[in-house]
Amino acid sequence: MTPFYFVKHHVGHLHLSDASSIVSKWCHFCKSVIYGVGEVPNLRELAGCLRCRMGSYPTTYLGLPLGAPFKAKSEFAVRHDFQAVSNISALFHGMKRLESAIAVILIFIQISSPLPLVGWNPWFISPAKAVLYSPDTKVPRTGELALRKAIPANTNMKTIQDSLEDISYLLRIPQRKPYGTMEGNVKRALKIAMDDKESILGSLPTDLKEKGSVLYASLIDGKGGLQSLLESIKDKDPDRVSVGLASSLDTLAELELLQAPGLSFLLPEQYLKYPRLTGRGTVEFTIEKGDGSTFSPAAGGEPRNLAMIQVVLDGYSAPLTTGNFAKLVVDGAYDGLKLNCTDQAVISDNGPEKKNGYSIPLEIMPSGQFEPLYRTKLSVQDGELPVLPLSVYGAVAMAHSEVSEDYSSPYQIFFYLYDKRNAGLGGLSFDEGQFSVFGYTTVGREILPQIKTGDVIRSAKLVEGRDRCAVETAATGME
């Protein structure tokens, strides 16, 4: 059956020229209930977008039963003939009201995210597909997963990774988990790893081959390797599968990082004057409470007024942004800087004494591309998604420049507090593809919601990646 939905809602006559009428009637959707007919994808996201509730069957609409078993008398009373005639009349009237309701939905979506509705007859197109545009819902939801996907490894390694990452989605199925599919994924990964052993190890730099060989052996036969993961799947033990999968993916990521000692693309000549990070780096922030209060204690610990947050920088996808940030950290630009908080972000202060960074052009690498785009935002509505998504709790990005949104701020950063309840369809942030995301919080994510306006970055240190920083003399400013 073609996916469809309807909304139980009363909508009067709508005049397109009256904008306030649209807003007023749209606000009434919070009192409405949405029902799916057949299998409707992303129905929950649609309900959130329309600010209405999801309904369940059986129910009634215009006095008529919906969703009840054939001849069921326990759910609905038997109607007299005259009542049936009345319901038929009401049904025609209800179709007019339903048509008006759908018109409101289409108009609102056209206003908020323009679609080619001219000459479009929604009655002859699947409404669920005609109205909704849901981007790829398999966007990384953790910093660790986003960082793994961003590694520019060889094709065979990426194929192995994709097979294993799919298992993490299959594990989310609440009841009958598809262990057969999981087993097939691991066997596929094992076959590629063993058949392509020479090309996998042969792509490693000479000085890293020994370390790579150890990691390869661990990936195949180690305690947390693929063979062990296969046994856990055969035993249908979801907890062991989850632990084994995480271990295998960590080992795989380490091996991929050895295959990518530097950038896989050439930077535009006009940007070579900027600092750059040609790989991964790690920054450790020490946060201090500004009002003398304490952070919540860790398990078994004591309250403390200092907390540590660790951020992994991805120079593979944003070499200029990470290079500028790493230089600022080394120069001590963030030491003693105050923090400001909103519902969606923790933002570093914009003190005038700290303006010693570079106005780096907006830098975003689109998914499926081999090099970043500069001074160009992505259009999520057209299916463009970044390699480093903002829609991850603890994503770290540069704020926009005060001069132009085509450039990032010289030094102002923010930690994004992603909340799916405030996201759009597909669970993507409304600001997705608009900022230069350059890393993710991997340690101390639980500290972020405890940070309040007035708290201070006591210190920021580049604890890993200094050898991959390239800093050249450049004139500060936008060109």
Side-chain angles (χ1 to χ4, degrees), residues 230-245:
L230 189 58
E231 292 302 318
S232 300
I233 292 174
K234 290 180 178 179
D235 292 340
K236 298 184 178 181
D237 187 333
D239 293 333
R240 283 178 54 203
V241 172
S242 180
V243 173
L245 178 63

mmCIF file with all atom_site columns, all heavy atoms in Angstrom, residues 230-245:
data_model
loop_
_atom_site.group_PDB
_atom_site.id
_atom_site.type_symbol
_atom_site.label_atom_id
_atom_site.label_alt_id
_atom_site.label_comp_id
_atom_site.label_asym_id
_atom_site.label_entity_id
_atom_site.label_seq_id
_atom_site.pdbx_PDB_ins_code
_atom_site.Cartn_x
_atom_site.Cartn_y
_atom_site.Cartn_z
_atom_site.occupancy
_atom_site.B_iso_or_equiv
_atom_site.pdbx_formal_charge
_atom_site.auth_seq_id
_atom_site.auth_comp_id
_atom_site.auth_asym_id
_atom_site.auth_atom_id
_atom_site.pdbx_PDB_model_num
ATOM 1   N N   . LEU A 1 230 ? 32.537 -12.854 15.462 1.00 0.00 ? 230 LEU A N   1
ATOM 2   C CA  . LEU A 1 230 ? 31.707 -13.834 14.764 1.00 0.00 ? 230 LEU A CA  1
ATOM 3   C C   . LEU A 1 230 ? 31.139 -14.862 15.734 1.00 0.00 ? 230 LEU A C   1
ATOM 4   O O   . LEU A 1 230 ? 29.962 -15.242 15.646 1.00 0.00 ? 230 LEU A O   1
ATOM 5   C CB  . LEU A 1 230 ? 32.536 -14.522 13.676 1.00 0.00 ? 230 LEU A CB  1
ATOM 6   C CG  . LEU A 1 230 ? 31.784 -15.436 12.704 1.00 0.00 ? 230 LEU A CG  1
ATOM 7   C CD1 . LEU A 1 230 ? 30.689 -14.670 11.969 1.00 0.00 ? 230 LEU A CD1 1
ATOM 8   C CD2 . LEU A 1 230 ? 32.747 -16.063 11.716 1.00 0.00 ? 230 LEU A CD2 1
ATOM 9   N N   . GLU A 1 231 ? 31.952 -15.295 16.681 1.00 0.00 ? 231 GLU A N   1
ATOM 10  C CA  . GLU A 1 231 ? 31.478 -16.267 17.673 1.00 0.00 ? 231 GLU A CA  1
ATOM 11  C C   . GLU A 1 231 ? 30.388 -15.658 18.564 1.00 0.00 ? 231 GLU A C   1
ATOM 12  O O   . GLU A 1 231 ? 29.417 -16.336 18.917 1.00 0.00 ? 231 GLU A O   1
ATOM 13  C CB  . GLU A 1 231 ? 32.654 -16.752 18.537 1.00 0.00 ? 231 GLU A CB  1
ATOM 14  C CG  . GLU A 1 231 ? 33.666 -17.594 17.783 1.00 0.00 ? 231 GLU A CG  1
ATOM 15  C CD  . GLU A 1 231 ? 33.041 -18.829 17.150 1.00 0.00 ? 231 GLU A CD  1
ATOM 16  O OE1 . GLU A 1 231 ? 32.207 -19.482 17.820 1.00 0.00 ? 231 GLU A OE1 1
ATOM 17  O OE2 . GLU A 1 231 ? 33.355 -19.134 15.983 1.00 0.00 ? 231 GLU A OE2 1
ATOM 18  N N   . SER A 1 232 ? 30.546 -14.394 18.928 1.00 0.00 ? 232 SER A N   1
ATOM 19  C CA  . SER A 1 232 ? 29.540 -13.728 19.761 1.00 0.00 ? 232 SER A CA  1
ATOM 20  C C   . SER A 1 232 ? 28.205 -13.637 19.034 1.00 0.00 ? 232 SER A C   1
ATOM 21  O O   . SER A 1 232 ? 27.138 -13.799 19.639 1.00 0.00 ? 232 SER A O   1
ATOM 22  C CB  . SER A 1 232 ? 30.013 -12.316 20.135 1.00 0.00 ? 232 SER A CB  1
ATOM 23  O OG  . SER A 1 232 ? 31.222 -12.362 20.855 1.00 0.00 ? 232 SER A OG  1
ATOM 24  N N   . ILE A 1 233 ? 28.262 -13.385 17.722 1.00 0.00 ? 233 ILE A N   1
ATOM 25  C CA  . ILE A 1 233 ? 27.032 -13.311 16.930 1.00 0.00 ? 233 ILE A CA  1
ATOM 26  C C   . ILE A 1 233 ? 26.378 -14.682 16.838 1.00 0.00 ? 233 ILE A C   1
ATOM 27  O O   . ILE A 1 233 ? 25.145 -14.812 16.956 1.00 0.00 ? 233 ILE A O   1
ATOM 28  C CB  . ILE A 1 233 ? 27.338 -12.751 15.529 1.00 0.00 ? 233 ILE A CB  1
ATOM 29  C CG1 . ILE A 1 233 ? 27.749 -11.286 15.624 1.00 0.00 ? 233 ILE A CG1 1
ATOM 30  C CG2 . ILE A 1 233 ? 26.128 -12.899 14.608 1.00 0.00 ? 233 ILE A CG2 1
ATOM 31  C CD1 . ILE A 1 233 ? 28.203 -10.681 14.321 1.00 0.00 ? 233 ILE A CD1 1
ATOM 32  N N   . LYS A 1 234 ? 27.165 -15.714 16.654 1.00 0.00 ? 234 LYS A N   1
ATOM 33  C CA  . LYS A 1 234 ? 26.610 -17.072 16.592 1.00 0.00 ? 234 LYS A CA  1
ATOM 34  C C   . LYS A 1 234 ? 25.961 -17.470 17.910 1.00 0.00 ? 234 LYS A C   1
ATOM 35  O O   . LYS A 1 234 ? 24.986 -18.224 17.930 1.00 0.00 ? 234 LYS A O   1
ATOM 36  C CB  . LYS A 1 234 ? 27.712 -18.066 16.222 1.00 0.00 ? 234 LYS A CB  1
ATOM 37  C CG  . LYS A 1 234 ? 28.192 -17.940 14.778 1.00 0.00 ? 234 LYS A CG  1
ATOM 38  C CD  . LYS A 1 234 ? 29.278 -18.957 14.469 1.00 0.00 ? 234 LYS A CD  1
ATOM 39  C CE  . LYS A 1 234 ? 29.721 -18.858 13.007 1.00 0.00 ? 234 LYS A CE  1
ATOM 40  N NZ  . LYS A 1 234 ? 30.812 -19.832 12.690 1.00 0.00 ? 234 LYS A NZ  1
ATOM 41  N N   . ASP A 1 235 ? 26.494 -16.940 19.025 1.00 0.00 ? 235 ASP A N   1
ATOM 42  C CA  . ASP A 1 235 ? 25.915 -17.219 20.346 1.00 0.00 ? 235 ASP A CA  1
ATOM 43  C C   . ASP A 1 235 ? 24.707 -16.333 20.641 1.00 0.00 ? 235 ASP A C   1
ATOM 44  O O   . ASP A 1 235 ? 24.067 -16.475 21.691 1.00 0.00 ? 235 ASP A O   1
ATOM 45  C CB  . ASP A 1 235 ? 26.962 -17.015 21.442 1.00 0.00 ? 235 ASP A CB  1
ATOM 46  C CG  . ASP A 1 235 ? 28.078 -18.054 21.380 1.00 0.00 ? 235 ASP A CG  1
ATOM 47  O OD1 . ASP A 1 235 ? 27.847 -19.120 20.768 1.00 0.00 ? 235 ASP A OD1 1
ATOM 48  O OD2 . ASP A 1 235 ? 29.163 -17.790 21.924 1.00 0.00 ? 235 ASP A OD2 1
ATOM 49  N N   . LYS A 1 236 ? 24.421 -15.390 19.738 1.00 0.00 ? 236 LYS A N   1
ATOM 50  C CA  . LYS A 1 236 ? 23.288 -14.470 19.878 1.00 0.00 ? 236 LYS A CA  1
ATOM 51  C C   . LYS A 1 236 ? 23.308 -13.733 21.209 1.00 0.00 ? 236 LYS A C   1
ATOM 52  O O   . LYS A 1 236 ? 22.284 -13.604 21.903 1.00 0.00 ? 236 LYS A O   1
ATOM 53  C CB  . LYS A 1 236 ? 21.963 -15.212 19.696 1.00 0.00 ? 236 LYS A CB  1
ATOM 54  C CG  . LYS A 1 236 ? 21.816 -15.841 18.318 1.00 0.00 ? 236 LYS A CG  1
ATOM 55  C CD  . LYS A 1 236 ? 20.460 -16.497 18.128 1.00 0.00 ? 236 LYS A CD  1
ATOM 56  C CE  . LYS A 1 236 ? 20.328 -17.066 16.713 1.00 0.00 ? 236 LYS A CE  1
ATOM 57  N NZ  . LYS A 1 236 ? 19.010 -17.691 16.473 1.00 0.00 ? 236 LYS A NZ  1
ATOM 58  N N   . ASP A 1 237 ? 24.491 -13.242 21.558 1.00 0.00 ? 237 ASP A N   1
ATOM 59  C CA  . ASP A 1 237 ? 24.676 -12.492 22.798 1.00 0.00 ? 237 ASP A CA  1
ATOM 60  C C   . ASP A 1 237 ? 24.869 -11.011 22.433 1.00 0.00 ? 237 ASP A C   1
ATOM 61  O O   . ASP A 1 237 ? 25.972 -10.599 22.050 1.00 0.00 ? 237 ASP A O   1
ATOM 62  C CB  . ASP A 1 237 ? 25.897 -13.018 23.559 1.00 0.00 ? 237 ASP A CB  1
ATOM 63  C CG  . ASP A 1 237 ? 26.048 -12.390 24.930 1.00 0.00 ? 237 ASP A CG  1
ATOM 64  O OD1 . ASP A 1 237 ? 25.580 -11.243 25.112 1.00 0.00 ? 237 ASP A OD1 1
ATOM 65  O OD2 . ASP A 1 237 ? 26.634 -13.030 25.830 1.00 0.00 ? 237 ASP A OD2 1
ATOM 66  N N   . PRO A 1 238 ? 23.818 -10.191 22.533 1.00 0.00 ? 238 PRO A N   1
ATOM 67  C CA  . PRO A 1 238 ? 23.923 -8.795  22.083 1.00 0.00 ? 238 PRO A CA  1
ATOM 68  C C   . PRO A 1 238 ? 24.957 -7.977  22.849 1.00 0.00 ? 238 PRO A C   1
ATOM 69  O O   . PRO A 1 238 ? 25.587 -7.084  22.275 1.00 0.00 ? 238 PRO A O   1
ATOM 70  C CB  . PRO A 1 238 ? 22.507 -8.248  22.288 1.00 0.00 ? 238 PRO A CB  1
ATOM 71  C CG  . PRO A 1 238 ? 21.877 -9.154  23.297 1.00 0.00 ? 238 PRO A CG  1
ATOM 72  C CD  . PRO A 1 238 ? 22.481 -10.501 23.071 1.00 0.00 ? 238 PRO A CD  1
ATOM 73  N N   . ASP A 1 239 ? 25.127 -8.254  24.134 1.00 0.00 ? 239 ASP A N   1
ATOM 74  C CA  . ASP A 1 239 ? 26.104 -7.492  24.917 1.00 0.00 ? 239 ASP A CA  1
ATOM 75  C C   . ASP A 1 239 ? 27.528 -7.783  24.442 1.00 0.00 ? 239 ASP A C   1
ATOM 76  O O   . ASP A 1 239 ? 28.338 -6.867  24.267 1.00 0.00 ? 239 ASP A O   1
ATOM 77  C CB  . ASP A 1 239 ? 25.972 -7.822  26.403 1.00 0.00 ? 239 ASP A CB  1
ATOM 78  C CG  . ASP A 1 239 ? 24.650 -7.326  26.990 1.00 0.00 ? 239 ASP A CG  1
ATOM 79  O OD1 . ASP A 1 239 ? 24.117 -6.341  26.443 1.00 0.00 ? 239 ASP A OD1 1
ATOM 80  O OD2 . ASP A 1 239 ? 24.155 -7.929  27.957 1.00 0.00 ? 239 ASP A OD2 1
ATOM 81  N N   . ARG A 1 240 ? 27.835 -9.057  24.241 1.00 0.00 ? 240 ARG A N   1
ATOM 82  C CA  . ARG A 1 240 ? 29.170 -9.421  23.745 1.00 0.00 ? 240 ARG A CA  1
ATOM 83  C C   . ARG A 1 240 ? 29.381 -8.910  22.330 1.00 0.00 ? 240 ARG A C   1
ATOM 84  O O   . ARG A 1 240 ? 30.493 -8.485  21.977 1.00 0.00 ? 240 ARG A O   1
ATOM 85  C CB  . ARG A 1 240 ? 29.354 -10.947 23.779 1.00 0.00 ? 240 ARG A CB  1
ATOM 86  C CG  . ARG A 1 240 ? 29.635 -11.530 25.159 1.00 0.00 ? 240 ARG A CG  1
ATOM 87  C CD  . ARG A 1 240 ? 29.743 -13.041 25.095 1.00 0.00 ? 240 ARG A CD  1
ATOM 88  N NE  . ARG A 1 240 ? 30.735 -13.466 24.105 1.00 0.00 ? 240 ARG A NE  1
ATOM 89  C CZ  . ARG A 1 240 ? 30.738 -14.654 23.520 1.00 0.00 ? 240 ARG A CZ  1
ATOM 90  N NH1 . ARG A 1 240 ? 29.775 -15.529 23.796 1.00 0.00 ? 240 ARG A NH1 1
ATOM 91  N NH2 . ARG A 1 240 ? 31.679 -14.970 22.652 1.00 0.00 ? 240 ARG A NH2 1
ATOM 92  N N   . VAL A 1 241 ? 28.328 -8.944  21.522 1.00 0.00 ? 241 VAL A N   1
ATOM 93  C CA  . VAL A 1 241 ? 28.437 -8.432  20.151 1.00 0.00 ? 241 VAL A CA  1
ATOM 94  C C   . VAL A 1 241 ? 28.771 -6.941  20.176 1.00 0.00 ? 241 VAL A C   1
ATOM 95  O O   . VAL A 1 241 ? 29.646 -6.472  19.440 1.00 0.00 ? 241 VAL A O   1
ATOM 96  C CB  . VAL A 1 241 ? 27.127 -8.671  19.367 1.00 0.00 ? 241 VAL A CB  1
ATOM 97  C CG1 . VAL A 1 241 ? 27.178 -7.962  18.013 1.00 0.00 ? 241 VAL A CG1 1
ATOM 98  C CG2 . VAL A 1 241 ? 26.902 -10.166 19.157 1.00 0.00 ? 241 VAL A CG2 1
ATOM 99  N N   . SER A 1 242 ? 28.098 -6.196  21.049 1.00 0.00 ? 242 SER A N   1
ATOM 100 C CA  . SER A 1 242 ? 28.330 -4.755  21.136 1.00 0.00 ? 242 SER A CA  1
ATOM 101 C C   . SER A 1 242 ? 29.758 -4.442  21.558 1.00 0.00 ? 242 SER A C   1
ATOM 102 O O   . SER A 1 242 ? 30.425 -3.593  20.963 1.00 0.00 ? 242 SER A O   1
ATOM 103 C CB  . SER A 1 242 ? 27.339 -4.137  22.128 1.00 0.00 ? 242 SER A CB  1
ATOM 104 O OG  . SER A 1 242 ? 27.537 -2.750  22.222 1.00 0.00 ? 242 SER A OG  1
ATOM 105 N N   . VAL A 1 243 ? 30.259 -5.153  22.575 1.00 0.00 ? 243 VAL A N   1
ATOM 106 C CA  . VAL A 1 243 ? 31.631 -4.931  23.050 1.00 0.00 ? 243 VAL A CA  1
ATOM 107 C C   . VAL A 1 243 ? 32.647 -5.349  21.991 1.00 0.00 ? 243 VAL A C   1
ATOM 108 O O   . VAL A 1 243 ? 33.620 -4.633  21.716 1.00 0.00 ? 243 VAL A O   1
ATOM 109 C CB  . VAL A 1 243 ? 31.873 -5.706  24.366 1.00 0.00 ? 243 VAL A CB  1
ATOM 110 C CG1 . VAL A 1 243 ? 33.346 -5.633  24.774 1.00 0.00 ? 243 VAL A CG1 1
ATOM 111 C CG2 . VAL A 1 243 ? 30.998 -5.160  25.482 1.00 0.00 ? 243 VAL A CG2 1
ATOM 112 N N   . GLY A 1 244 ? 32.416 -6.506  21.382 1.00 0.00 ? 244 GLY A N   1
ATOM 113 C CA  . GLY A 1 244 ? 33.340 -6.988  20.349 1.00 0.00 ? 244 GLY A CA  1
ATOM 114 C C   . GLY A 1 244 ? 33.354 -6.098  19.123 1.00 0.00 ? 244 GLY A C   1
ATOM 115 O O   . GLY A 1 244 ? 34.402 -5.866  18.516 1.00 0.00 ? 244 GLY A O   1
ATOM 116 N N   . LEU A 1 245 ? 32.189 -5.572  18.756 1.00 0.00 ? 245 LEU A N   1
ATOM 117 C CA  . LEU A 1 245 ? 32.099 -4.680  17.603 1.00 0.00 ? 245 LEU A CA  1
ATOM 118 C C   . LEU A 1 245 ? 32.882 -3.398  17.854 1.00 0.00 ? 245 LEU A C   1
ATOM 119 O O   . LEU A 1 245 ? 33.629 -2.931  16.984 1.00 0.00 ? 245 LEU A O   1
ATOM 120 C CB  . LEU A 1 245 ? 30.642 -4.358  17.309 1.00 0.00 ? 245 LEU A CB  1
ATOM 121 C CG  . LEU A 1 245 ? 30.374 -3.394  16.154 1.00 0.00 ? 245 LEU A CG  1
ATOM 122 C CD1 . LEU A 1 245 ? 30.863 -3.972  14.845 1.00 0.00 ? 245 LEU A CD1 1
ATOM 123 C CD2 . LEU A 1 245 ? 28.885 -3.056  16.069 1.00 0.00 ? 245 LEU A CD2 1
#
